[in-house]
């Protein structure tokens, strides 16, 4: 008999039992008999979780009097270990296992071999199914698979018969695997608490046994086709970023997606009588088991990719494709994803989203910038989360300390609550600076502006008391839209933003699409062909080629600013002529509007972003054309260090506070001195306290930063003396061996200035 045929026989018998009008206990009793007979094993037992303990619910072969008497704690004995780790055990000699515990009432002393699998419900072990033999032997794969299939059937029975309380099952986590600390990298500081939700949620398998095997087979074929199509099209999606490591992941995905062995095993599992969903899961369980036995970190990484892919396949087959955002967040949530695009993050309900944990991510990736502006803490570079965090687990995220605690103990929760309270106090103190103007101790007024990108962000202007919007990322509207935003929509947004800003200036940056901000309706013909989109056809380069795009935006901005001051800034200017060309598009539109007798802006101020290092060498040519210049340190530093801003492996490698970056920036400051050009920084570094000190120390007087940083930076400004600071910076920069971060940190600490 083939393995599939024998598995099918077991399933058929289980099917019959489940269909009988028997109470749950009767069914469990029948199941142990079926498994015992099929595996010719002397013992087969089922333990189920009740009131936090694993209780013997049914047995064939152990003393019947032990049923509902023998109870094991999670982690205690072999069954407890299986439940605790949610992992099977296969032992030729049970007594040799360090966790073996002998329970005399069961009469199990004569049995040598032992195999057990967890019964999983809502991703948690709610019971254990095990077999024992007198003779010492290891169980074969087909036998373990039969146990796993049976465990899936039992899980379905358990949920239908309500043998495990749903609430209890969800609340079990602490008992099941206890608290775990997940280390990572701080991407957006802050604290948040909520339950875990995966951006791509796992599908609960509700039917294990197939009614029609042919139909299941057809479903899985279609799903494989669709998945392969998706994988082939993934290269352009945010989830996978671009280049480097992502390319490797994608290749692995492709390898698995087209792996004949994988699809064959799933088909065999379907032949044995499982539904497509259950077959995928069963094969996955089996692969997990084999991979764990090998214990190789490289393989573990691949396993993670395969888990992702299997999850994708189950989602396709079951038609449950929605992200957690589309399903809606019902409670305060900590979102978990491998990676996200800015548009994907923006789909989430801001009120419920309390934090994000990414397996990848870097400080200046746009998704992180968006999260920062939403005030959502983000922890990045957290590894292998699928194995640690289950949907619905409680999580305390301390992105400031670069950790998250999953299933926290009461003690950890207390400490967290205290930190939370302290941080709120601090926030309140910063908020009280709202109406206070940021003058340094020596009396210099520093312009503290904020970065924004959406209509919703504008409320922060009043809340923080920022001096205006130093960078309005107009492309955010393009990112959240399924189609190219038309003129009316753009016009309305820009008008609303200016209305919300009142007398305060708003610097609108023209679209910066490309790089990690690709949009589907533009990517195929342009950025899709870029091997290195950050250095490719993006921002002004793209806008100047697609003149229609730029014209529409110019018209919208000029009309929205009718009768007011308009500040326009061009991104990624690499050579002065590009600035001229962009300005000409605006001037043409202005002429057109005047001809049409429309009300035009009172004045248009043109500025450029300094993001491409080459531009710094020709500032003498560019500056006379500008009214302001804003340094985009996110891009500038990626180009200076040749280090992709979105690459997680490089996320910690280079420091903004390096002598090379600071010397470069100081030369830019010097180039603008004596001109009328208003100079500022609008990259992320300006919002960090030590970095802000460095920037002020080399002569910057305008910072545009994320709204949450406005309070802390205002507070910082009020504590410093610029002469003293710039003198220190000059000395440090003269010495290339000086560790700037340490030097500035020590300088601040000496003056009792908080460096966090
Ligand atoms: C920058 O590059 O520093 C910048 C502010 O622009 P963005 O982050 O949107 O590329
Ligand atoms: Mg930029």
């Amino acid at each position: 008999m083939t393995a599939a045929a024998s598995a099918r026989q077991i399933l058929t018998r289980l099917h019959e039992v489940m269909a009988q009008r028997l109470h749950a206990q009767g069914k469990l009793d029948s199941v142990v008999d079926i498994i015992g007979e099929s595996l010719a094993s002397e013992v087969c037992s089922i333990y189920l979780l009740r009131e936090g303990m694993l209780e013997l619910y049914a047995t064939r072969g152990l003393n019947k009097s032990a049923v509902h008497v023998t109870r094991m704690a999670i982690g205690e004995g072999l069954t407890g270990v299986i439940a605790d780790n949610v992992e099977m055990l296969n032992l030729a000699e049970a007594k040799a296992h360090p966790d073996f515990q002998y329970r005399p009432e069961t009469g199990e002393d004569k049995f040598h071999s032992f195999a057990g699998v967890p019964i999983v419900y809502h991703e948690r072990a709610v019971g254990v199914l095990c077999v024992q033999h007198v003779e010492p032997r290891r169980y074969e794969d087909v036998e373990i698979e039969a146990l796993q299939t049976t465990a899936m059937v039992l899980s379905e029975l358990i949920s239908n018969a309500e043998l495990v309380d749903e609430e209890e099952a969800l609340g079990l986590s602490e008992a099941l695997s206890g608290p775990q600390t997940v280390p990572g990298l701080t991407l957006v500081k802050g604290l948040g608490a909520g339950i875990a939700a995966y951006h791509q949620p796992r599908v609960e398998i509700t039917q294990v046994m197939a009614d029609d095997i042919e139909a299941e087979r057809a479903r899985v074929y279609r799903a494989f086709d669709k998945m392969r199509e998706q994988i082939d099209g993934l290269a352009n999606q945010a989830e996978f970023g671009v280049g480097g490591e992502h390319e490797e992941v994608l290749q692995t995905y492709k390898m698995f997606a087209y792996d004949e062995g994988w699809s064959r095993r799933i088909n065999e599992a379907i032949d044995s009588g499982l539904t497509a969903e259950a077959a995928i899961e069963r094969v996955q369980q089996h692969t997990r088991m084999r991979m764990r036995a090998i214990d190789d970190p490289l393989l573990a990484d691949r396993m993670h990719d395969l888990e992702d892919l299997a999850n994708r396949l189950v989602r396709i087959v079951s038609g449950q494709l929605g992200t957690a955002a589309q399903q809606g967040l019902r409670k305060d949530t900590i979102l978990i994803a491998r990676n996200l695009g800015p548009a994907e993050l923006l789909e989430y309900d801001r009120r419920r989203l309390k934090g994000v944990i990414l397996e990848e991510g870097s400080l200046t990736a746009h998704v992180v910038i968006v999260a920062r502006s939403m005030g959502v803490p983000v922890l990045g570079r957290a590894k292998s989360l699928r194995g640690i965090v289950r949907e619905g687990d409680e999580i305390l995220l301390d992105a400031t300390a670069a950790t998250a605690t999953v299933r926290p103990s009461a003690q950890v929760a207390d400490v967290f609550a205290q930190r939370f309270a302290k941080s709120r106090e601090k926030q309140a103190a910063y908020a009280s600076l709202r109406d206070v103007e940021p003058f340094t101790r020596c009396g210099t007024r520093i312009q503290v502006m904020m970065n924004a990108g959406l209509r919703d962000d504008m409320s922060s202007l009043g809340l923080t008391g920022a001096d205006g919007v130093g960078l309005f990322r107009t492309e955010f509207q393009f990112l959240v839209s399924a189609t190219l935003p038309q003129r009316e929509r753009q016009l309305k947004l820009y008008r609303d933003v200016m209305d919300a800003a009142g007398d305060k200036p708003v610097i609108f940056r023209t679209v910066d699409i490309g790089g990690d901000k690709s949009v589907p309706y533009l990517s195929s013909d342009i950025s899709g062909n870029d091997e290195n989109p950050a250095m490719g056809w993006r921002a002004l380069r793209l806008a100047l080629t697609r003149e229609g795009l730029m014209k529409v935006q110019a018209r919208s901005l000029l009309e929205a600013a009718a009768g007011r001051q308009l500040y326009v800034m061009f991104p990624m200017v690499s050579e002065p002529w590009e600035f001229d060309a962009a300005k000409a598009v605006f001037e043409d539109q202005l002429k057109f509007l005047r001809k049409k007798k429309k009300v035009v802006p009172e004045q248009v101020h043109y500025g450029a972003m300094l993001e491409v290092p080459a531009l710094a060498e020709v500032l003498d040519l560019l500056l006379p054309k500008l009214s302001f210049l804003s340094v985009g340190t996110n891009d500038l530093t990626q180009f200076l260090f040749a280090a992709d801003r979105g690459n997680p492996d490089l996320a910690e490698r280079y420091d903004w506070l390096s002598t090379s970056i600071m010397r470069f920036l100081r030369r830019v400051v010097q180039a603008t001195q004596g001109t009328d050009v208003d100079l500022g920084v609008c990259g992320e570094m300006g919002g960090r306290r030590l970095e802000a000190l460095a920037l002020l120390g080399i002569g910057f007087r305008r910072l545009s930063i994320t709204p949450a940083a406005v309070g802390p930076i205002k507070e910082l400004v009020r504590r410093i003396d610029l002469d003293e600071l710039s003198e220190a910076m000059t000395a440090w920069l003269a010495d290339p061996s000086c560790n700037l971060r340490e030097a500035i940190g020590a300088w601040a600490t000496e003056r009792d200035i908080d460096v966090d």
Side-chain angles (χ1 to χ4, degrees):
M1 195 167 27
T2 65
S6 66
R8 178 155 11 161
Q9 232 174 38
I10 295 177
L11 260 183
T12 309
R13 291 186 62 190
L14 290 174
H15 205 314
E16 284 162 12
V17 171
M18 294 304 151
Q20 283 169 19
R21 288 182 57 83
L22 256 171
H23 50 83
Q25 181 68 50
K27 289 182 183 174
L28 294 178
D29 291 338
S30 304
V31 170
V32 290
D33 281 338
I34 294 171
I35 299 304
E37 279 165 28
S38 311
L39 268 56
S41 75
E42 284 92 3
V43 177
C44 176
S45 312
I46 295 171
Y47 291 80
L48 293 184
L49 201 92
R50 213 176 75 165
E51 291 160 1
M53 299 283 279
L54 288 167
E55 181 172 310
L56 181 63
Y57 257 70
T59 186
R60 157 196 156 111
L62 297 184
N63 294 339
K64 293 274 186 214
S65 56
V67 170
H68 296 302
V69 172
T70 295
R71 302 180 89 208
M72 315 284 270
I74 304 295
E76 184 194 6
L78 299 179
T79 44
V81 167
I82 292 169
D84 197 10
N85 299 336
V86 201
E87 248 177 65
M88 69 104 200
L89 277 181
N90 180 358
L91 307 168
E93 192 52 78
K95 288 179 195 134
H97 193 282
D99 289 302
F100 175 78
Q101 269 197 17
Y102 174 54
R103 287 300 172 89
E105 74 273 13
T106 59
E108 63 184 340
D109 45 330
K110 50 185 178 292
F111 304 110
H112 287 270
S113 57
F114 174 97
V117 297
I119 301 169
V120 182
Y121 181 64
H122 281 320
E123 292 187 62
R124 291 145 172 93
V126 292
V128 173
L129 168 70
C130 56
V131 288
Q132 291 170 273
H133 276 78
V134 173
E135 140 212 21
R137 59 182 287 252
R138 263 180 80 81
Y139 294 84
E140 288 175 25
D141 280 0
V142 280
E143 294 175 299
I144 298 291
E145 282 177 21
L147 287 178
Q148 282 171 333
T149 303
T150 312
M152 288 170 96
V153 173
L154 286 172
S155 146
E156 193 184 337
L157 167 71
I158 285 166
S159 86
N160 290 340
E162 293 174 8
L163 280 175
V164 171
D165 178 25
E166 185 123 347
E167 282 295 306
E168 195 194 356
L170 286 172
L172 278 175
S173 43
E174 193 171 338
L176 283 177
S177 37
Q180 286 246 21
T181 306
V182 179
L185 172 72
T186 304
L187 294 182
V188 179
K189 283 183 182 173
L191 302 166
I195 58 159
Y198 280 88
H199 175 60
Q200 301 203 317
R202 248 184 215 284
V203 171
E204 280 298 331
I205 297 172
T206 49
Q207 194 185 341
V208 176
M209 288 179 280
D211 296 326
D212 175 350
I213 288 181
E214 277 316 308
E216 295 302 316
R217 216 199 284 271
R219 287 177 69 214
V220 111
Y221 271 130
R222 278 198 303 273
F224 259 101
D225 275 352
K226 189 154 179 199
M227 181 183 67
R228 288 169 182 162
E229 231 172 73
Q230 280 186 1
I231 299 298
D232 293 340
L234 265 182
N236 297 325
Q237 282 186 18
E239 190 189 348
F240 280 86
V242 277
E245 185 185 41
H246 308 290
E247 197 52 45
E248 232 173 77
V249 174
L250 210 57
Q251 287 310 326
T252 313
Y253 271 48
K254 272 197 180 148
M255 186 184 83
F256 284 132
Y258 286 94
D259 179 30
E260 290 299 329
W262 188 34
S263 52
R264 194 194 60 240
R265 284 191 295 279
I266 292 174
N267 271 305
E268 282 169 4
I270 291 178
D271 283 346
S272 77
L274 294 175
T275 57
E277 289 89 341
I280 298 165
E281 175 55 25
R282 233 280 314 284
V283 169
Q284 199 54 20
Q285 280 178 357
H286 186 69
T287 316
R288 247 176 246 145
M289 181 176 94
R290 296 187 79 97
M291 294 279 215
R292 272 188 197 130
I294 300 171
D295 190 25
D296 171 335
L298 260 180
L299 271 183
D301 262 4
R302 296 291 81 95
M303 182 62 207
H304 182 71
D305 297 337
L306 182 59
E307 288 277 358
D308 236 28
L309 212 56
N311 187 36
R312 187 180 287 267
L313 191 60
V314 178
R315 283 157 54 81
I316 294 172
V317 100
S318 65
Q320 297 179 40
L321 286 167
T323 63
Q326 283 146 9
Q327 293 176 4
L329 304 181
R330 279 188 294 275
K331 294 183 177 170
D332 286 356
T333 299
I334 304 291
L335 182 69
I336 300 177
R338 173 194 277 278
N339 211 342
L340 284 173
E344 289 172 315
L345 181 65
L346 285 165
E347 280 186 19
Y348 283 90
D349 178 352
R350 288 180 176 207
R351 289 160 305 174
R352 291 269 159 85
L353 187 63
K354 300 298 172 190
V356 175
I357 306 181
L358 298 177
E359 299 191 0
E360 301 191 343
S362 65
L363 271 178
T364 55
H366 279 95
V367 61
V368 173
I369 292 175
V370 172
R372 198 171 287 128
S373 78
M374 287 164 80
V376 175
V378 184
L379 181 71
R381 309 285 284 151
K383 286 288 170 201
S384 303
L385 293 166
R386 282 254 184 228
I388 303 171
V389 187
R390 283 161 294 181
E391 198 91 35
D393 275 348
E394 191 187 345
I395 299 189
L396 301 178
L397 172 64
D398 186 343
T400 310
T403 61
T405 310
V406 190
R407 303 174 293 270
S409 65
Q411 213 178 0
V412 169
D414 272 356
V415 174
F416 186 84
Q418 282 165 20
R419 269 176 66 74
F420 220 159
K422 265 226 181 86
S423 130
R424 281 203 203 95
E425 260 171 43
K426 229 175 172 177
Q427 294 309 319
Y430 291 140
S432 70
L433 293 176
R434 194 181 66 172
D435 301 321
V436 176
E437 287 195 50
F439 279 98
T440 60
R441 276 189 19 231
C442 50
T444 306
R445 175 71 160 84
I446 303 296
Q447 293 290 314
V448 182
M449 303 178 90
M450 66 168 227
N451 294 345
L454 294 167
R455 201 182 265 107
D456 281 0
D457 295 338
M458 296 308 290
S459 58
S460 301
L461 197 56
L463 293 173
T464 59
D467 287 313
V469 177
L471 166 65
F472 190 91
R473 290 181 164 101
T474 59
E475 66 277 3
F476 280 11
Q477 189 191 21
F478 289 66
L479 292 177
V480 295
S481 170
T483 52
L484 196 67
Q486 300 300 307
R487 189 162 61 91
E488 290 72 27
R489 257 170 66 204
Q490 290 192 44
L491 174 71
K492 177 154 178 18
L493 171 72
Y494 305 145
R495 191 178 277 151
D496 288 353
V497 167
M498 280 187 258
D499 286 349
D503 292 341
K504 294 182 176 176
V506 179
I507 299 179
F508 288 95
R509 173 180 70 188
T510 58
V511 279
D512 181 1
I513 295 172
D516 62 344
K517 288 180 285 194
S518 66
V519 288
Y521 45 86
L522 282 179
S523 59
S524 56
D525 55 335
I526 302 201
S527 61
N529 300 331
D530 267 340
E531 255 188 37
N532 196 338
M535 296 202 282
W537 213 244
R538 63 174 276 209
L540 197 57
R541 299 166 184 181
L542 185 146
L544 287 175
T545 324
R546 286 223 163 200
E547 223 190 283
L549 184 94
M550 185 92 173
K551 265 190 198 158
V552 169
Q553 186 165 38
R555 262 283 280 290
S556 316
L557 280 166
L558 291 165
E559 285 190 50
R564 320 189 228 209
Q565 303 287 321
L566 175 63
Y567 299 83
V568 182
M569 175 161 80
F570 304 120
M572 287 278 288
V573 176
S574 311
E575 294 191 321
W577 69 265
E578 291 170 325
F579 173 84
D580 296 335
K583 181 177 169 183
V585 175
F586 273 75
E587 292 291 311
D588 276 354
Q589 291 303 311
L590 199 55
K591 234 187 262 161
F592 174 83
L593 288 173
R594 283 204 183 102
K595 215 160 82 192
K596 290 261 167 197
K597 302 266 179 293
K598 298 257 189 187
V599 186
V600 293
E602 204 171 285
Q603 201 178 357
V604 186
H605 309 262
Y606 294 101
M609 288 189 75
L610 175 64
E611 304 182 274
V612 178
L615 191 67
E617 295 300 326
V618 286
L619 282 179
D620 42 354
L621 203 61
L622 179 71
L623 291 174
K625 306 168 189 275
L626 303 181
S627 78
F628 59 92
L629 178 70
S630 190
V631 185
T633 48
N634 301 337
D635 275 313
L636 181 67
T637 52
Q638 84 163 334
F639 297 135
L640 281 175
F641 273 126
D644 183 346
R645 63 191 267 183
N647 185 325
D649 283 342
L650 295 174
E652 290 165 282
R653 186 159 181 131
Y654 304 106
D655 194 345
W656 273 318
L657 289 180
S658 70
T659 304
S660 51
I661 298 283
M662 294 317 293
R663 282 184 179 175
F664 185 95
L665 292 176
R666 188 175 56 177
R667 285 203 294 127
V668 173
V669 174
Q670 286 162 352
T672 59
Q673 273 160 358
T675 71
D676 293 332
V677 175
D678 181 11
L679 176 70
V681 164
C682 61
E684 300 308 298
M685 71 182 280
R688 294 160 65 106
R689 286 166 71 95
L690 282 188
E691 282 81 344
L693 279 177
L695 293 169
L696 295 169
I698 57 170
F700 282 96
R701 297 292 174 259
R702 178 164 61 86
L703 302 176
S704 188
I705 56 187
T706 192
V710 170
I713 296 299
K714 274 186 168 190
E715 195 262 354
L716 179 83
V717 164
R718 288 158 47 80
R719 291 166 143 273
I720 57 175
D721 180 292
L722 283 174
D723 289 340
E724 201 183 32
L725 180 60
S726 79
E727 198 180 308
M729 271 306 278
T730 307
W732 294 325
L733 288 182
D735 171 12
S737 69
C738 166
N739 181 327
L740 267 184
R741 183 166 293 281
E742 279 173 16
I744 302 174
W747 185 91
T749 311
E750 267 168 37
R751 283 155 188 80
D752 221 9
I753 298 174
D754 203 350
V755 293
D756 279 337

